[in-house]
Amino acid sequence: AWAQGTFPQRPVKFIVPNAPGSSIDTIARILSTQMAQGFAQPLVVDNKAGAAGALGVEVGRTSPADGHTVIVASSSSITIAPLLQKAVPYDPLKDFDFISLIALLPNVLVVNPALPVRNVAELIAYARSKGSNSNMASAGVGSTSHLAGAALQSAGGFQSLHVPYKGGAQGVTSVVAGETDWVLTPAPAAMGQVQNGRLRLLAHSMTTESRPLGDVPSIAQTLPGFEFAGWIGLMAPKGLPPGAVDTLRRTLAQALQQPELRKQFDINGAVPTPSTPQEFRAFLARDIEVHKKAIEVAGVKAE
């Protein structure tokens, strides 16, 4: 068995601060299935959506620090929410124990197949020609898809009307239905619709050198220097026993090596990225600075 020692002594709960069917939920359920094989106890996914992820994170933060409740954290709930919500009670760098990164998530630029564009340059030209009649979906004001889309517009020198929805799935569905033209959204939220032909995939948001989606080009090939990737990681209430941190980290790392998990991650465009707790914390500190700049570009104010 991957997990050793006395931990866990009862079922382990994954708190997912996002709705069922969201990109974070999709990855969490794939991971939980594999990690459960390394425990002698069940692993349960508990969705606690609300307040852009802050509600679920706070539930996790105030849970007993024994390792049996952990948080499937992401850029939306850990990086963005504290920057945009004055009422968020937690400090992302001080109030949690870091276990490991799980994956990097490229954002994917997708359009309705009826739209007459097949690459980033054509989308930019189309949006410029349409002016205010071009529109962009998002998962809501201040969401990852909103900030990524705003950053793309700034880098590409064009504007699209922002149409916020109440979640990533609804935003993607609006593009499928032709209600909106495009969205730059975390890959797991859109790749199923790409594979069934309901969306056209133009590019991903990682570096030019990255190949998270095979031959799919990066936005940076058209707009040099553009990068706006999301992430998922495992965090826990402050004060976990070192043995629990180590067991969770090792079990997660083992799960990320499993061929079936990697196959499912590939389908969803997620890049397995195990790390040490120290590497995870340093990564988060950098991510906060990147998002501060994106929020400024988007013109979103903390409320």
Side-chain angles (χ1 to χ4, degrees):
W2 301 331
Q4 297 176 3
T6 59
F7 174 83
Q9 297 178 338
R10 58 182 183 275
V12 175
K13 182 186 293 183
F14 265 18
I15 292 184
V16 177
N18 308 79
S22 63
S23 58
I24 309 304
D25 177 70
T26 298
I27 295 301
R29 290 181 185 278
I30 294 169
L31 177 67
S32 66
T33 299
Q34 290 294 330
M35 282 188 67
Q37 298 179 26
F39 290 141
Q41 297 284 345
L43 201 161
V44 181
V45 173
D46 186 9
N47 294 90
K48 295 289 186 183
L55 187 154
V57 171
E58 181 63 4
V59 169
R61 185 183 73 86
T62 56
S63 296
D66 56 15
H68 292 90
T69 299
V70 293
I71 306 160
V72 182
S74 69
S75 49
S76 60
S77 60
I78 295 296
T79 301
I80 299 173
L83 292 174
L84 292 182
Q85 299 181 48
K86 294 179 180 178
V88 167
Y90 52 83
D91 184 313
L93 292 173
K94 296 179 180 179
D95 292 345
F96 303 92
D97 276 351
F98 294 83
I99 297 170
S100 174
L101 280 167
I102 296 168
L104 295 181
L105 296 178
N107 291 294
V108 290
L109 180 58
V110 293
V111 300
N112 185 286
L115 212 67
V117 300
R118 294 189 174 274
N119 55 52
V120 176
E122 288 182 1
L123 176 63
I124 294 172
Y126 174 84
R128 288 174 178 170
S129 72
K130 290 292 184 179
S132 60
N133 290 324
S134 166
N135 47 59
M136 173 197 83
S138 84
V141 174
S143 64
T144 295
S145 50
H146 177 203
L147 299 181
L152 177 64
Q153 292 177 68
S154 176
F158 71 99
Q159 291 186 339
S160 290
L161 177 67
H162 175 214
V163 184
Y165 287 83
K166 295 181 179 179
Q170 293 94 325
V172 169
T173 299
S174 78
V175 181
V176 172
E179 296 172 359
T180 53
D181 293 332
W182 63 276
V183 65
L184 182 54
T185 189
M191 290 309 295
Q193 301 284 23
V194 169
Q195 287 151 10
N196 65 27
R198 293 178 179 174
L199 289 175
R200 177 179 296 143
L201 174 58
L202 303 185
H204 68 79
S205 68
M206 293 181 73
T207 63
T208 303
E209 296 77 20
S210 301
R211 301 180 67 86
L213 298 164
D215 294 331
V216 176
S218 67
I219 295 171
Q221 289 174 238
T222 302
L223 301 173
F226 186 89
E227 181 182 4
F228 206 101
W231 58 269
I232 304 177
L234 211 58
M235 301 172 76
K238 192 78 173 178
L240 246 63
V245 173
D246 186 58
T247 296
L248 286 162
R249 184 186 62 78
R250 287 186 294 104
T251 306
L252 188 154
Q254 289 280 1
L256 292 178
Q257 295 176 7
Q258 302 308 305
E260 182 57 32
L261 178 142
R262 286 184 168 268
K263 178 182 176 181
Q264 292 298 316
F265 271 36
D266 285 347
I267 290 172
N268 286 281
V271 181
T273 313
S275 72
T276 65
Q278 295 77 17
E279 290 169 340
F280 185 6
R281 191 182 189 283
F283 175 90
L284 176 59
R286 295 191 300 271
D287 191 62
I288 290 171
E289 294 306 311
V290 168
H291 278 80
K292 283 181 179 178
K293 294 178 181 177
I295 288 167
E296 183 178 352
V297 167
V300 183
K301 302 297 183 182
E303 296 181 354

